[in-house]
């Protein structure tokens, strides 16, 4: 009997440790690269074709797709909650005002539904489309683990509190990303997605008139011509004025000469701790690309719904 007791004193704590470790196994452990291999073997090829077509017809679509996964994953995780429509939805929130490209995801979803209905989640399509968009504009590739499921609700209030804004200072950016499990270096690498796409006057006005950050004077003069102190809110300027449709490191090189378009861009190179990271990426495109790819993998695995949580939506815009 004494030996039973001894075995119990060893086995019971072991059993508890096992239970705890199972419990703490993050949901992301359930994502897998082979998730659709049997249920929808054509899923990845189908999404890639949709993305290639969209980027060929308008190169800005690459930027829009890379941005969508960020705005989805920062608000209640990578669950396609951003795509749900309706009053009080994330999509309708001021924090997502100006986010575009939804119709590219809808088209990819329709194409995937036609080959295997009800199988592939909108959340996985967002993650895969961002990767394919990067590749389509000469950016890095990365392996996307799959098996995310879709939420049935979205959270406009969380969109307002959790998404960073273009007038954030460095400490606000650092803590905003840290709240999502991303470190400072990953924040800088991910900001490098501003090598693509455009911003509206209303979002960069504060940078060109009213802030104490250094700004190249010719750059400022030219921006002010297209963005007066009032009005013309929708006028666009490229976030990377050199090569806005190509994934390269010019975004970081622009920061070295005070040509960042947003306050949140230029604060990354303004005499603080992130200067060294910006310098490193400005020197080495390959370093930037490999860090960007790794950070995109991490960002696109924030709190996914997996297993029996969530649903597979038929339409990305609607939960029912
Ligand atoms: C670091 C914090 C960030 C801030 C404060 C920020 C803010 C902004 C703002 C204000 C715009 C212009 C939007 C408009 O005019 O409507 C923009 C555009 C964009 N952002 Fe960010 N962003 C950040 C990080 C990211 C990340 C992590 C990604 C993706 C990985 C991303 C991807 C993009 C892209 C591609 C565009 C251009 C979209 C277009 O052409 O319409 N941004 N961002
Ligand atoms: C950043 O902005 C926050 C909020 O406005 C402010 O409290 C903080 O002092 C600022 N930090 C720096 C370093 O400017
Ligand atoms: C700049 O700031 C001043 C003082 O806060 C304000 O009166 C003015 O409207 C601002 N201008 C722009 C273009 O934002």
């Amino acid at each position: 009997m004494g030996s039973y007791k001894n075995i119990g004193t060893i086995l019971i704590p072991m059993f508890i440790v096992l239970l705890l470790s199972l419990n703490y196994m993050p949901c992301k452990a359930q994502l897998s690269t082979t998730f659709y291999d049997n249920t929808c073997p054509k899923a990845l090829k189908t999404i890639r074709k949709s993305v290639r077509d969209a980027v060929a017809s308008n190169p800005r679509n690459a930027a829009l797709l890379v941005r969508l996964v960020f705005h989805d994953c920062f608000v209640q995780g990578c669950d396609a909650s951003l795509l749900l429509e309706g009053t009080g939805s994330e999509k309708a929130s001021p924090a997502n005002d100006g986010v575009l490209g939804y119709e590219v995801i809808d088209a990819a979803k329709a194409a995937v539904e036609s080959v295997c209905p009800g199988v592939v989640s909108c959340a996985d399509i967002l993650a895969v489309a961002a990767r394919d968009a990067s590749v389509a504009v000469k950016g890095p590739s990365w392996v996307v683990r799959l098996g995310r499921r879709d939420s049935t609700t979205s959270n406009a209030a969380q969109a307002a509190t959790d998404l960073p804004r273009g007038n954030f200072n460095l400490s606000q950016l650092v803590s905003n990303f840290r709240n999502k499990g991303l470190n400072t270096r990953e924040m800088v690498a991910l900001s490098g997605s501003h090598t693509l796409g455009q911003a509206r006057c209303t979002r960069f006005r504060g940078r060109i008139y009213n802030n104490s950050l250094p700004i190249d004077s010719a750059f400022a003069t030219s921006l002010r011509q297209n963005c007066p102190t009032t009005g013309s809110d929708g006028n666009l300027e490229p976030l990377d004025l050199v090569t806005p449709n190509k994934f390269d490191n010019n975004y970081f090189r622009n920061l070295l000469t005070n040509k960042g378009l947003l306050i949140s861009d230029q604060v990354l190179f303004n005499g603080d701790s992130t200067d060294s990271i910006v310098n490193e990426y400005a020197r080495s495109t390959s370093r930037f690309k490999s860090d960007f790819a790794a950070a995109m993998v991490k960002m696109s695995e924030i709190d996914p719904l997996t297993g029996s949580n969530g649903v597979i939506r038929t339409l990305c815009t609607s939960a029912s």
Side-chain angles (χ1 to χ4, degrees):
M1 291 310 272
S3 62
Y4 276 103
K5 203 172 153 197
N6 286 342
I7 287 170
T9 58
I10 295 167
L11 285 186
I12 290 168
M14 274 177 64
F15 187 60
I16 291 170
V17 166
L18 180 70
L19 278 183
L20 284 176
S21 64
L22 284 176
N23 201 28
Y24 280 110
M25 206 97 84
C27 298
K28 66 181 67 165
Q30 293 169 39
L31 299 178
S32 110
T33 56
T34 56
F35 193 80
Y36 297 116
D37 281 8
N38 296 322
T39 54
C40 191
K42 289 186 177 156
L44 292 177
K45 230 190 266 177
T46 306
I47 299 167
R48 188 173 61 205
K49 181 177 185 329
S50 282
V51 170
R52 280 185 181 164
D53 289 351
V55 175
S57 77
N58 180 358
R60 189 178 175 196
N61 280 327
L64 305 182
L65 292 169
V66 170
R67 191 178 190 207
L68 280 175
V69 73
F70 162 52
H71 279 240
D72 181 42
C73 293
F74 263 51
V75 183
Q76 86 180 11
C78 305
D79 60 354
S81 56
L82 172 65
L83 308 179
L84 289 171
E85 291 182 343
T87 42
S89 65
E90 286 168 41
K91 186 174 175 175
S93 148
N96 286 314
D97 174 40
V99 173
L100 303 168
Y102 297 99
E103 69 287 348
V104 181
I105 297 295
D106 293 341
K109 172 66 167 173
V112 171
E113 285 294 298
S114 73
V115 292
C116 17
V119 173
V120 180
S121 69
C122 300
D124 277 344
I125 292 175
L126 280 168
V128 171
R131 187 270 314 274
D132 293 346
S134 169
V135 172
V137 288
K138 310 233 182 299
S141 189
W142 56 90
V143 175
V144 179
R145 283 183 282 266
L146 303 162
R148 296 166 193 76
R149 291 167 64 85
D150 301 328
S151 67
T152 52
T153 58
S154 78
N155 190 334
Q158 203 186 97
T161 55
D162 289 17
L163 286 166
R165 307 181 72 86
N167 62 0
F168 271 16
N169 63 33
L170 183 60
S171 48
Q172 290 173 300
L173 291 174
V174 167
S175 75
N176 178 275
F177 277 65
R178 194 197 296 120
N179 289 339
K180 300 295 165 185
L182 297 164
N183 65 33
T184 301
R185 193 177 171 87
E186 290 163 337
M187 183 274 289
V188 175
L190 289 168
S191 296
S193 60
H194 290 177
T195 181
L196 302 173
Q198 313 274 324
R200 291 168 301 160
C201 168
T202 184
R203 294 288 191 249
F204 64 80
R205 182 178 280 125
R207 162 79 172 127
I208 60 174
Y209 291 106
N210 260 344
N211 81 95
S212 52
L213 290 170
I215 188 164
D216 176 89
S217 66
F219 177 64
T221 301
S222 127
L223 292 173
R224 286 176 193 137
Q225 276 159 15
N226 188 34
C227 183
T229 54
T230 55
S232 308
D233 284 2
N235 286 3
L236 295 173
E237 288 288 345
L239 285 153
D240 163 7
L241 76 164
V242 183
T243 47
N245 293 319
K246 183 167 176 242
F247 194 107
D248 57 21
N249 69 343
N250 282 327
Y251 167 80
F252 295 105
R253 299 165 67 99
N254 297 335
L255 298 183
L256 302 184
T257 52
N258 298 322
K259 290 178 195 146
L261 185 59
L262 305 174
I263 290 173
S264 61
D265 294 323
Q266 197 60 55
V267 294
L268 303 180
F269 190 82
N270 184 39
D272 290 300
S273 64
T274 48
D275 284 16
S276 58
I277 308 171
V278 171
N279 269 315
E280 193 182 334
Y281 294 155
R283 269 196 310 270
S284 168
T285 307
S286 65
R287 196 59 184 264
F288 163 48
K289 286 184 174 178
S290 61
D291 282 4
F292 180 82
M296 283 296 285
V297 168
K298 200 165 164 189
M299 184 179 78
S300 52
E301 294 186 3
I302 296 173
D303 290 343
L305 296 167
T306 55
S308 57
N309 295 320
V311 299
I312 304 298
R313 289 190 223 134
T314 307
L315 285 176
C316 292
T317 49
S318 156
S320 53

